[in-house]
Amino acid sequence: MKKHIIKTITILGVLFMALMNTSCEDLLSDPILNNNDELKLTVSSADIILDERKPNENLTFNWTTGTNKGTSASINYVLQIDKEGNNFANPLEYEMGTNKFLFSLNWGALNYILLNTFGVQPGIAQKFEARLTATVSNASVVAQVSTVSFTITPYLPVSKELYLIGSATSVGWDISKALPLTLSTTTPGVFVYQGQLNTGTFKLPINRDGCFCQDFYTKDPTDAAKMVHNIGGSGQDLQWQITQAGQYKITADLLNLTINIESILGPPFSEIWIVGDASPSGWNIDNPKPFTQSKTNPFIFTYEANLTQGSFKILAGSKGNWCGEWYRPLVDGQSLSSTDVAQNSGCTVDNKWSIGSGDVGRYKITLNTQNNTISIKKVSLYIIGDGGPNGWNIVSPTAMTYSNGAFVFNGALGSSNATGEFKISKFKGDWCDGDWVNPATPNQALSNINYIVTNGCDGPDNKWKLKTGEAGNYQISISLDTNTMTIVRQ
């Protein structure tokens, strides 16, 4: 039994030594350590035209191992690249180390190297040489060299900035204020602008430098959906035309030289203002009084204020530009009852609405930017209720008198037989046709002059309530601009 165990151990020992010997023999015959291959350098393409649209494409160098003449010594590789004919006097040099047999440069990095290191002109083919030197760590083995030739044509990289100028923009032709487009984070060379454009033309500079001799992207003469890269302001300077003011999205692809101009459904302007000496704004174009945009119909803007003798027009797009975008009457001094309005830009035709001495008063202006119509209506106030002079007559009540920015009533309230109640309307016709001036609380006393403004039948339908013995003659004065009111018994 013991002899059998000893024999088994002996056999296992012999097998172990055999395996050890085999491993040593394999190590000594490793093709990398003992290789008699001829060193040869190759390149993935002998003629490359670089394309910025393909930043992930590569130029790849491959090489064989070369030989260490059976010394088992390591082999170190150095790759050099230079223009053909320079004899590698000042090359790019890459230490490859050992056991590495390929090297790649992506086209984006390669293009940068060609333009900035070798000074190759964009669009010009340049011949290059690459040289690989294999140095064996055993000094008895002579260094080996292999070279390969190839040609590369670089490109001019597109700008990392792009801007918008022209009569269709809020900045006009002031290139120092050109509107920026946003560079896409996902698609190389693509820029996007989204915002207001007016009737007019535009083109795309690459910076805000004051000189118009810089690079521009302009309209292709054969296709408005394509662009021409005018280097240094050269070319035909054709511009894109905007025929209808509104919100737009512009997508410019500098690599493919295409442009997409999309009209965004919605109002042409998000803000408009009144300007003129007849209005509270005066001729202050930098800080005019704004219209209010409807929440239910964003195409509709309203403005209500006391207008004095003088003239006015309506500014759109952006403030501060007298030759910018406007809404103006078709003729100068057009009747306030006319619903016609023109949306235009510039300073050539500068029509305005006029408020004469007999037209002074409070007005509500409603501008519909969808169909370019306007309503300019005088605002009147009426006392409605059985505590007032006209009872509940909403169809033809007597108007309060307008004077110096305030509405005034002088007359009787209540009667000897009834106390009565009242509220104040800004309209006549039907109960839900317009705005109301209601007291802040139900059955409010005449001594309390706090009020709210409600619309139509939305309420609350609060009223002032006369108490017994309060009937008599009163003066009621309301200033809607200052939100002040007085009720004084005469």
Side-chain angles (χ1 to χ4, degrees):
M1 183 66 177
K2 288 182 180 179
K3 290 182 180 180
H4 178 71
I5 294 173
I6 291 171
K7 185 177 181 180
T8 302
I9 293 174
T10 302
I11 292 172
L12 288 174
V14 171
L15 289 173
F16 175 75
M17 291 302 294
L19 288 172
M20 288 295 291
N21 289 335
T22 300
S23 298
C24 290
E25 290 172 1
D26 288 346
L27 182 63
L28 290 173
S29 63
D30 189 296
I32 294 176
L33 295 179
N34 291 287
N35 198 298
N36 292 314
D37 196 5
E38 178 185 356
L39 183 71
K40 185 176 183 180
L41 175 66
T42 58
V43 65
S44 56
S45 178
D47 190 359
I48 298 177
I49 300 175
L50 300 180
D51 189 336
E52 194 170 4
R53 293 170 296 184
K54 302 176 181 179
N56 296 319
E57 292 285 330
N58 295 310
L59 173 66
T60 300
F61 298 94
N62 292 272
W63 54 90
T64 59
T65 60
T67 180
N68 58 10
K69 299 295 184 181
T71 62
S72 299
S74 62
I75 305 175
N76 187 74
Y77 304 98
V78 175
L79 178 67
Q80 296 174 310
I81 302 172
D82 203 349
K83 286 183 178 179
E84 187 178 74
N86 279 357
N87 199 29
F88 298 97
N90 189 28
L92 284 177
E93 188 168 291
Y94 300 94
E95 292 280 351
M96 296 290 101
T98 60
N99 296 323
K100 185 172 182 180
F101 307 103
L102 67 85
F103 176 70
S104 295
L105 285 168
N106 69 61
W107 283 9
L110 189 59
N111 193 75
Y112 182 87
I113 291 170
L114 264 63
L115 298 181
N116 296 281
T117 301
F118 291 111
V120 182
Q121 293 299 309
I124 303 299
Q126 174 65 52
K127 291 183 177 180
F128 281 88
E129 288 181 305
R131 179 172 68 184
L132 184 74
T133 302
T135 304
V136 181
S137 60
N138 188 318
S140 66
V141 182
V142 178
Q144 302 141 74
V145 176
S146 179
T147 62
V148 66
S149 297
F150 54 96
T151 302
I152 306 179
T153 304
Y155 57 80
L156 177 66
V158 297
S159 174
K160 300 302 181 185
E161 297 180 56
L162 193 65
Y163 295 88
L164 184 71
I165 60 166
S167 59
T169 74
S170 59
V171 299
W173 292 105
D174 187 348
I175 199 168
S176 67
K177 297 179 181 177
L179 303 175
L181 282 79
T182 301
L183 178 62
S184 171
T185 58
T186 57
T187 309
V190 171
F191 291 81
V192 176
Y193 168 83
Q194 187 165 319
Q196 175 66 35
L197 287 180
N198 309 315
T199 54
T201 63
F202 73 88
K203 58 180 179 177
L204 306 171
I206 65 169
N207 57 54
R208 286 174 168 161
D209 293 350
C211 179
F212 274 78
C213 56
Q214 64 163 283
D215 288 8
F216 280 90
Y217 287 88
T218 57
K219 186 175 70 170
D220 187 300
T222 63
D223 189 345
K226 294 182 179 179
M227 302 189 297
V228 174
H229 184 193
N230 293 323
I231 299 175
S234 62
Q236 294 181 264
D237 194 29
L238 299 178
Q239 300 156 21
W240 290 277
Q241 179 85 32
I242 299 297
T243 58
Q244 176 66 49
Q247 295 289 316
Y248 285 84
K249 180 180 180 181
I250 297 175
T251 304
D253 186 338
L254 303 192
L255 293 177
N256 294 296
L257 292 176
T258 60
I259 186 168
N260 186 32
I261 305 170
E262 303 173 76
S263 177
I264 300 174
L265 295 178
F269 304 101
S270 58
E271 293 181 287
I272 62 173
W273 304 267
I274 191 168
V275 175
D277 56 359
S279 76
S281 296
W283 292 110
N284 183 354
I285 197 171
D286 296 313
N287 191 29
K289 300 295 182 183
F291 278 62
T292 299
Q293 187 175 28
S294 170
K295 293 180 180 179
T296 57
N297 186 346
F299 287 92
I300 294 178
F301 294 79
T302 58
Y303 178 78
E304 183 179 313
N306 300 320
L307 301 184
T308 59
Q309 189 171 350
S311 60
F312 71 91
K313 52 185 177 177
I314 299 170
L315 179 65
S318 62
K319 296 180 281 188
N321 184 7
W322 288 109
C323 294
E325 294 300 315
W326 296 90
Y327 284 92
R328 293 182 268 216
L330 303 190
V331 296
D332 200 35
Q334 179 173 293
S335 169
L336 299 181
S337 62
S338 173
T339 59
D340 293 330
V341 64
Q343 195 287 305
N344 48 45
S345 60
C347 304
T348 305
V349 178
D350 194 24
N351 298 330
K352 307 175 189 71
W353 289 277
S354 296
I355 302 293
S357 58
D359 297 321
V360 170
R362 188 172 185 85
Y363 286 84
K364 182 176 183 179
I365 303 172
T366 303
L367 176 65
N368 188 325
T369 60
Q370 187 171 29
N371 56 21
N372 280 0
T373 59
I374 193 167
S375 169
I376 306 174
K377 291 188 176 181
K378 220 168 198 179
V379 175
S380 295
L381 295 187
Y382 310 90
I383 294 179
I384 306 295
D386 56 8
N390 294 300
W392 295 106
N393 180 8
I394 189 67
V395 177
S396 56
T398 301
M400 298 173 70
T401 301
Y402 178 85
S403 177
N404 296 321
F407 292 90
V408 179
F409 165 79
N410 284 294
L413 294 178
S415 66
S416 56
N417 297 325
T419 55
E421 58 185 1
F422 67 91
K423 53 184 177 176
I424 299 171
S425 72
K426 294 174 68 176
F427 65 97
K428 57 183 179 178
D430 200 354
W431 294 104
C432 299
D433 278 355
D435 294 337
W436 294 91
V437 176
N438 297 95
T441 58
N443 301 318
Q444 189 165 298
L446 299 187
S447 59
N448 185 344
I449 53 176
N450 293 322
Y451 71 85
I452 59 175
V453 176
T454 63
N455 180 259
C457 295
D458 295 339
D461 191 23
N462 300 334
K463 306 174 186 70
W464 280 278
K465 179 76 172 179
L466 282 81
K467 298 178 182 177
T468 301
E470 287 187 333
N473 290 325
Y474 287 82
Q475 182 183 80
I476 301 175
S477 178
I478 302 176
S479 173
L480 296 177
D481 271 350
T482 61
N483 294 322
T484 57
M485 178 179 186
T486 61
I487 302 177
V488 180
R489 189 165 187 174
Q490 302 296 296

